[in-house]
Amino acid sequence: MRPGPTPVPPPETEIEPPGVPGLSGLLTLAVCVVVLAALYVGREVFLPVVLAILLAFVLAPFVELLRRWRLGRVPAVIIAVLVALGIIVSLATVIGFQVAGLASDLPRYQSTIETKIGSLREGSLGKLPALLKDFGRRIDRAVAEPPPEQQAPASPSSTTPPPPAEPNPLPVEVHEPEPTPAQVAQNVLVPLLEPLATMGIVFVVLVFILMQREDLRDRMIRLFGASDLHRATAAMDDAARRLSRYFLTQLALNASFGVVTAVGLWLIGVPSPILWGVFATLMRFVPYIGSFLAAVPPILLAAAVDPGWSMALMTLAFYAIGEPMMGHVVEPVVYGQSTGLSPFAVVISAIFWTWIWGPVGLLIATPLTLCLVVLGRHVERLEFLDVLLGDRPALTPAENLYQRMLAGDPDEALESAEVLLKERSLTSYYDEVALRGLQLAANDATRGVLTYRQLDQVKDVIRALVQDLGGHDDVEPEPEDTEDEPVAAPASEKPANKDPAVPEALPEESLVPEAWRAEGAVLCIAGRGPLDEAASEMLAQLLGKHGLGTRVVPHEAVSRRQIFNLDMTGVQMVCISYLEISGTPAHLRYLLRRLKQKAKAPTLVGLWPAEDAVLKSETMRATLGANYYVSSLRDAVVQCLKAATGEEKLPEPANSSDAEQATAAKRLPLPA
């Protein structure tokens, strides 16, 4: 066999010396520093805007509902904003009355608190500090005193006179003057001005966002997705719909938990149950620790109110049962799958936004981070946000499969494949994951970066994977409803083929002629690449699942020396697989010529890299002389089934000599 063409080395590129950051890296670092400084310094400006945006996501479905009732945009927005303002003012009023009532009742609980503290002091718990102090004193004395033989005998006549008594200090009392009514008003109103001003800015910005929602969306599309308006528009609409549904659902769940908390504490007898219900609603927006922080004040208050410990224990049991039930049973059922955020990102975002914007930043950390993840998942320039904060694996399924191939781990590759097969057919998995993983390996093998051992591991893993997946049927699984997922999967991880694994219009397996069902009816030949045989095995397996008899042949069996020994009896069709074919594929043209001389069977060439030049050039395909050219296993299965049942007439392959004559005739001048 003649050696393959020597690969042309890539042109040398200028490589920056290590340790010297590039201009783009310095620019990115400078932008990050400027953004952080702007967020920290301008929190009085950015915080109301962010709150207005999050509130707009919550009110957007309500505005759309009002507009369906034949209300104009302006009345619908005004009604929605007034309803939101009324709810907030009502809650603030209720909280104010609850806090005032609780403050007035606190002196009544003072005697109960003193009694419990006294009982604790009289018990073993109260004696513990004294015991520890006495134990420490004994240790200090044993360390400081010399041994008995070194101690000098004390003289009975030597006595030390006691020190003179110090005079008692005179008590001093400071009396402040009574505050004037103006000072009282200033002390009460000034702390309220800042939150009232922030609330006013929030609602003003909210009105403008709801009024000009489509215009703001178009500006975002122009800013981030002008190159692909269709995809950017669909992404923005999908992101806004999912975020609105998620925030509204989260608000409803937290409010429901607050109502249940208020009712439960009222039945237990804890004072001000409405206050603690609202407090539990707000604290559930804080990830992981919010509910535990919300449980501390009611438990302490129950311990102060009840002379015994039964009320405090019942309150503790209520939170210990209610929060896990809400977080691990109700929320997963309502949300469907995960929120799209990694647990580490949730914790880091809570710390970050608390540092930037204080307690309000802690409350909005999770919703705000979710918005950033959605932007990163739909906007290519911001993809790093999805990588840093999202819960998706760092590697794509194809990259993960290739990594498992390099590691020689077929079990983990099979486990990942079974997970992906729950939402796609076997054909889709082979096309979108397995073939792409093999292409990564083939590219590295062509560049010479794979060792012989690594290449053997890749072959062993993919062969074991294809064998293990032989028991899976090539059917499209039932689609799962993912409407409640706040973050949609990116297009790269969604099954690209929404149709069934094979078209429903194809004839049934019983209509396939007997000659096509015999073993070896479809001859699957591997290209001359090191991994092309694995692609041929996938194609043969899929064809077998649809009633066609197959046989896989290595590339050496169709070489010039060995093709005379190849048995092509009963072959109805020949399929050739290539993971990589670069330059002018002269060897493919000669291979097709040898096969046609051996048997008069139609030929199909599978060029799995869809961007290959052969698939784009009509002239190049004509010079090769195959009947079909496909770029996916699904198309190969479809063409073979149509050819087997006679549904599609075989196209006549172009004669290479005719194609060359036609090309030459185009260059010759026409006779006068």
Side-chain angles (χ1 to χ4, degrees), residues 91-112:
L91 288 177
T93 304
V94 171
I95 292 174
F97 281 112
Q98 291 282 309
V99 171
L102 182 63
S104 62
D105 293 338
L106 283 180
R108 295 166 43 193
Y109 311 139
Q110 183 176 359
S111 59
T112 305

Side-chain angles (χ1 to χ4, degrees), residues 100-174:
L102 182 63
S104 62
D105 293 338
L106 283 180
R108 295 166 43 193
Y109 311 139
Q110 183 176 359
S111 59
T112 305
I113 297 174
E114 292 176 353
T115 302
K116 287 190 174 183
I117 294 176
S119 62
L120 292 176
R121 287 178 178 177
E122 294 175 359
S124 58
L125 187 62
K127 297 178 181 179
L128 183 61
L131 293 175
L132 293 176
K133 186 181 296 183
D134 182 65
F135 183 71
R137 189 183 300 113
R138 291 175 181 272
I139 293 177
D140 294 340
R141 185 182 306 165
V143 173
E145 290 181 357
E149 60 272 9
Q150 296 182 6
Q151 293 181 359
S155 175
S157 60
S158 60
T159 58
T160 303
E166 297 181 359
N168 295 328
L170 296 177
V172 178
E173 296 182 0
V174 178

Side-chain angles (χ1 to χ4, degrees), residues 316-607:
L316 177 62
F318 173 79
Y319 279 97
I321 297 174
E323 170 55 28
M325 183 71 66
M326 191 72 179
H328 299 286
V329 177
V330 178
E331 286 186 352
V333 172
V334 175
Y335 288 143
Q337 298 183 5
S338 66
T339 60
L341 300 177
S342 66
F344 179 75
V346 172
V347 174
I348 295 300
S349 65
I351 297 174
F352 174 78
W353 293 113
T354 304
W355 169 61
I356 292 291
W357 290 342
V360 180
L362 179 62
L363 293 177
I364 65 175
T366 301
L368 191 57
T369 307
L370 183 61
C371 292
L372 296 178
V373 170
V374 171
L375 284 176
R377 192 158 292 189
H378 290 286
V379 179
E380 185 176 358
R381 299 180 187 177
L382 303 177
E383 187 180 2
F384 70 94
L385 294 174
D386 182 30
V387 176
L388 292 176
L389 305 176
D391 61 350
R392 290 191 302 145
L395 301 177
T396 64
E399 293 171 342
N400 183 64
L401 176 61
Y402 180 38
Q403 194 271 338
R404 290 297 86 201
M405 291 178 185
L406 293 176
D409 189 355
D411 294 331
E412 189 170 343
L414 177 61
E415 181 182 5
S416 176
E418 290 178 344
V419 173
L420 294 174
L421 285 172
K422 294 180 180 179
E423 58 182 15
R424 67 191 77 202
S425 64
L426 184 61
T427 303
S428 299
Y429 172 76
Y430 280 159
D431 274 332
E432 299 162 12
V433 180
L435 280 183
R436 293 182 182 178
L438 283 177
Q439 285 174 8
L440 295 175
N443 294 336
D444 286 348
T446 303
R447 294 189 297 117
V449 298
L450 286 184
T451 63
Y452 290 107
R453 176 177 174 273
Q454 290 175 327
L455 191 58
D456 291 338
Q457 286 181 340
V458 170
K459 293 179 181 179
D460 294 339
V461 171
I462 195 62
R463 185 179 298 111
L465 179 63
V466 173
Q467 292 176 356
D468 292 335
L469 295 179
H472 286 264
D473 295 330
D474 187 25
V475 294
E476 196 75 19
E478 293 294 331
E480 297 182 0
D481 185 15
T482 57
E483 291 294 325
D484 293 326
E485 291 184 50
V487 180
S492 60
E493 294 190 9
K494 289 182 179 179
N497 177 29
K498 293 299 181 182
D499 299 329
V502 293
E504 298 179 358
L506 285 180
E508 298 179 359
E509 181 180 341
S510 59
L511 300 180
V512 176
E514 189 68 26
W516 285 80
R517 286 190 286 176
E519 183 178 359
V522 180
L523 192 65
C524 298
I525 301 176
R528 64 176 185 175
L531 300 174
D532 290 339
E533 188 173 351
S536 297
E537 292 177 354
M538 295 180 193
L539 178 59
Q541 185 184 86
L542 294 175
L543 291 174
K545 292 182 180 297
H546 293 285
L548 300 178
T550 60
R551 179 160 58 103
V552 179
V553 175
H555 183 74
E556 291 77 8
V558 292
S559 63
R560 286 182 173 84
R561 295 182 179 180
Q562 300 294 332
I563 194 171
F564 300 102
N565 300 325
L566 180 63
D567 183 15
M568 297 189 68
T569 305
V571 174
Q572 304 295 323
M573 193 167 187
V574 177
C575 298
I576 309 174
S577 297
Y578 280 93
L579 284 170
E580 194 273 335
I581 179 170
S582 58
T584 303
H587 60 88
L588 176 58
R589 180 170 65 251
Y590 296 134
L591 172 60
L592 290 171
R593 184 180 300 176
R594 293 195 299 270
L595 291 172
K596 289 184 180 300
Q597 293 174 355
K598 185 71 175 177
K600 300 298 182 181
T603 54
L604 179 145
V605 177
L607 300 173

